[in-house]
Amino acid sequence: MDATTGRTGASRRDRDAETLDQLGEFVAIDRVTRGLTMSSAVSVGPGDDGAVFLINGSAVVSTDLLVEGVHFKTEWSDPHSIGRKAVAVNVADLEAMGASPVSMVLALAAPGDTAAQWLREFSTGVREEADRAGICLVGGDTTRARDISICVTVVGQTEGRSPVLRSGARPGQVVAVKGRLGWAAAGLAVLARGFRAPRAAVESQRCPQVPYGAGRQAALAGATAMLDVSDGLLADLGHIADASDVVIDIDRARLDIPDPVMAVASATGKDPMVFVLTGGEDHALAACFEPGTVPDDWQVLGRVRGREADEAPRVLVDGLPWQGSQGWDHFH
Ligand code: ADP
Ligand code: MG
């Protein structure tokens, strides 16, 4: 345990420790893949030129790239959390399509002086989150590079259901959310100030708590539009509004302010609602349902309406445009 950061975990470089260069590519791959368990859908896992698995229904594919210094900092995140996050953010995309996770491949680039212990803990994080999400690691690639980057590609199955797109929202529906809002952004705010508490917010920044299974649940309940909140609730609902050509109106009074978010807002003098409405990286699911069909454990936050003739598709808060940033954009 590191007393200043409150986290356990190998640092990427440790002068006296065994490195990836010393392990070599094939031993490194063996460490990542040895003893992995496969589901009955997988007939060929890691070790051959390709993996083979069965799909029930249409295949849904998604990929996400995590780059050191952009998506995580090795000073702030332990390797175990980075491994978990690499899986979690990808499976969230499958959930957001209403699909069930099946298999994933993982490409890892890392400097040769990376500690072998870092790889071990990263790999443990990948396995634990994959188990939680119900997905099998069936292959990947491993190479040397200047910075660490991790590319995960996931495959899901629709099991005969229609995929739940962003374009399916209809006037008269309600918008509901399952999962956390604002926690990861609150965690980032404290990490950026050099603090490590509240711990729950910091943990959410290191790895989101994706509501596994909720995407399939929403699809079965009849959700017609869905996405995962990666950039901020308002920004992401804006994608549904655009794709569906509708207006979404969020009721501020329906939003809970979680305790850790409130604590961070008080300590930093910020409006807690800004974290909840615009904070990204929690990967909650947001979906549109006909009234009365929302699963019990989802929280209704607002409604969908048609747009006026001279009105653009947009997201409102209590009937008004939100003043300020809507969320995170990598190129702005
Ligand atoms: P190839 O030369 O065909 O690309 P590799 O030597 O890169 O094969 O990989 C050997 C086997 O190990 C392949 O089955 C590949 O899927 C698997 N593998 C390589 N890197 C990883 C990784 N980071 N995670 C999971 N499996 C991996
Ligand atoms: Mg290869």
Side-chain angles (χ1 to χ4, degrees), residues 186-202:
L188 185 63
V190 294
L191 284 168
R193 284 170 170 75
F195 299 116
R196 299 291 181 260
R199 200 183 169 86
V202 170

Side-chain angles (χ1 to χ4, degrees), residues 90-99 101 133 210-216 226 285:
N90 274 281
V91 175
D93 286 321
L94 294 179
E95 294 279 345
M97 297 297 286
V210 174
Y212 294 124
R216 179 173 183 276
M226 182 155 57
L285 296 176

Side-chain angles (χ1 to χ4, degrees), residues 25 29 140-142:
E25 180 184 342
I29 292 174
D141 199 24
T142 306

Side-chain angles (χ1 to χ4, degrees), residues 1-7 196:
M1 170 83 101
D2 179 323
T4 53
T5 63
R7 66 179 164 83
R196 299 291 181 260

Side-chain angles (χ1 to χ4, degrees), residues 10 61 169 192 215 224 247 255:
V61 179
T224 61
V247 175
L255 287 162

Side-chain angles (χ1 to χ4, degrees), residues 69-131:
V70 180
H71 302 93
F72 63 88
K73 288 185 190 292
T74 46
E75 308 92 284
W76 290 354
S77 276
D78 53 297
H80 185 264
S81 301
I82 295 168
R84 286 188 55 201
K85 184 172 187 169
V87 176
V89 299
N90 274 281
V91 175
D93 286 321
L94 294 179
E95 294 279 345
M97 297 297 286
S100 300
V102 177
S103 65
M104 61 180 234
V105 290
L106 187 156
L108 173 69
D113 64 357
T114 302
Q117 181 65 14
W118 191 97
L119 180 71
R120 188 193 308 278
E121 292 176 16
F122 167 79
S123 174
T124 303
V126 167
R127 288 171 190 232
E128 285 182 12
E129 196 68 15
D131 283 349

Side-chain angles (χ1 to χ4, degrees), residues 97-303:
M97 297 297 286
S100 300
V102 177
S103 65
M104 61 180 234
V105 290
L106 187 156
L108 173 69
D113 64 357
T114 302
Q117 181 65 14
W118 191 97
L119 180 71
R120 188 193 308 278
E121 292 176 16
F122 167 79
S123 174
T124 303
V126 167
R127 288 171 190 232
E128 285 182 12
E129 196 68 15
D131 283 349
R132 213 169 273 144
I135 197 165
C136 298
L137 177 60
V138 298
D141 199 24
T142 306
T143 187
R144 165 199 305 278
R146 202 189 61 189
D147 298 313
I148 296 178
S149 59
I150 302 146
C151 181
V152 173
T153 301
V154 286
V155 178
Q157 61 192 9
T158 60
E159 298 163 335
R161 299 180 298 273
S162 298
V164 186
L165 309 182
R166 296 175 176 193
S167 54
R170 297 190 291 255
Q173 288 186 320
V174 295
V175 178
V177 165
K178 170 85 184 169
R180 293 179 163 182
L181 294 173
W183 294 57
L188 185 63
V190 294
L191 284 168
R193 284 170 170 75
F195 299 116
R196 299 291 181 260
R199 200 183 169 86
V202 170
E203 293 298 329
S204 268
Q205 168 58 36
R206 291 183 180 143
C207 177
Q209 281 205 0
V210 174
Y212 294 124
R216 179 173 183 276
Q217 175 197 32
L220 288 170
T224 61
M226 182 155 57
L227 46 59
D228 65 311
V229 181
S230 53
D231 297 331
L233 180 67
L234 298 182
D236 286 312
L237 288 179
H239 299 314
I240 289 186
D242 285 340
S244 304
D245 199 26
V246 294
V247 175
I248 293 174
D249 195 356
I250 296 301
D251 299 329
R252 210 195 270 245
R254 290 179 178 271
L255 287 162
D256 291 330
I257 309 243
D259 290 341
V261 173
M262 188 57 96
V264 172
S266 306
T268 56
K270 294 203 165 159
D271 177 357
M273 205 47 98
V274 172
F275 288 117
V276 174
L277 288 172
T278 71
E281 295 195 283
D282 283 306
H283 299 273
L285 296 176
C288 300
F289 299 87
E290 293 304 321
T293 68
V294 182
D296 283 345
D297 50 348
W298 285 60
Q299 182 154 18
V300 173
L301 299 182
R303 73 202 74 77

